[in-house]
Amino acid sequence: MITHRDLRMLNLARQMSYMSDFPRVHVGCCVTLKNAVLSVGYNSKKSNPLQQRLNVYRHFKHPERSEGKEHAEISALSKMPWYVYENNFDLKKATIYVYREYRETHTYALSKPCPACMYAIKNIFKIGRIVFTIKDGIKEMKLV
């Protein structure tokens, strides 16, 4: 069930999407635990080594040619502060919010994480819940 808090956090992800320098698509993301924002990010033209390694899950015909441009989810997850790990935060209770809108109409667009980002969210960082935009609204996915 999407709550008022979810809408506030999606608005933060929306604000992050405006920082994107990627030419075609602007995606923003934030990671929260309880009432705290742990990290934020946006997609970018720059490459990210973690994204490059995870692109094998995207099943490209020639993965060695994929450029590894940074996705919003990987941007946010790779910026997670050290104290999250040092204090063993239970990220199964965390939520990652992903936002995308059509530039022409400013209406919601599909921002479901790609297979590479989904692998990182679910298997590496073990985030318990994803909230993302779809063409007709907002969708929630529980991973635990």
Side-chain angles (χ1 to χ4, degrees):
M1 183 173 118
I2 303 298
T3 65
H4 181 66
R5 182 178 171 277
D6 290 330
L7 296 176
R8 282 194 345 256
M9 293 301 125
L10 269 175
N11 190 46
L12 174 59
R14 176 179 173 234
Q15 297 303 317
M16 294 309 300
S17 74
Y18 296 149
M19 297 180 71
S20 172
D21 62 358
F22 199 75
R24 290 182 299 125
V25 177
H26 297 270
V27 181
C29 180
C30 71
V31 182
T32 66
L33 179 63
K34 298 183 182 175
N35 290 323
V37 175
L38 298 178
S39 184
V40 294
Y42 51 88
N43 65 327
S44 175
K45 291 189 294 189
K46 69 180 183 177
S47 61
N48 181 311
L50 176 60
Q51 185 74 57
Q52 185 74 38
R53 284 194 309 271
L54 290 171
N55 276 344
V56 299
Y57 298 102
R58 293 179 69 194
H59 306 294
F60 291 121
K61 284 186 180 179
H62 302 285
E64 68 281 356
R65 291 189 206 159
S66 73
E67 297 173 357
K69 302 299 183 192
E70 187 173 51
H71 292 196
E73 301 92 329
I74 299 303
S75 171
L77 292 169
S78 60
K79 293 177 194 168
M80 199 91 70
W82 60 270
Y83 60 80
V84 170
Y85 307 107
E86 190 171 272
N87 295 307
N88 295 318
F89 282 25
D90 184 7
L91 294 179
K92 290 178 183 163
K93 296 178 182 174
T95 301
I96 187 166
Y97 296 89
V98 188
Y99 181 92
R100 178 180 163 213
E101 67 183 29
Y102 292 112
R103 285 197 279 175
E104 306 80 32
T105 61
H106 298 287
T107 57
Y108 291 147
L110 180 64
S111 67
K112 181 179 179 183
C114 72
C117 293
M118 189 63 84
Y119 181 86
I121 292 166
K122 189 175 182 180
N123 299 320
I124 297 174
F125 294 92
K126 298 178 178 21
I127 306 281
R129 180 174 174 251
I130 305 171
V131 175
F132 56 94
T133 57
I134 57 175
K135 187 176 179 181
D136 300 328
I138 301 167
K139 185 167 180 159
E140 167 190 42
M141 186 184 305
K142 294 189 180 184
L143 301 175
V144 203

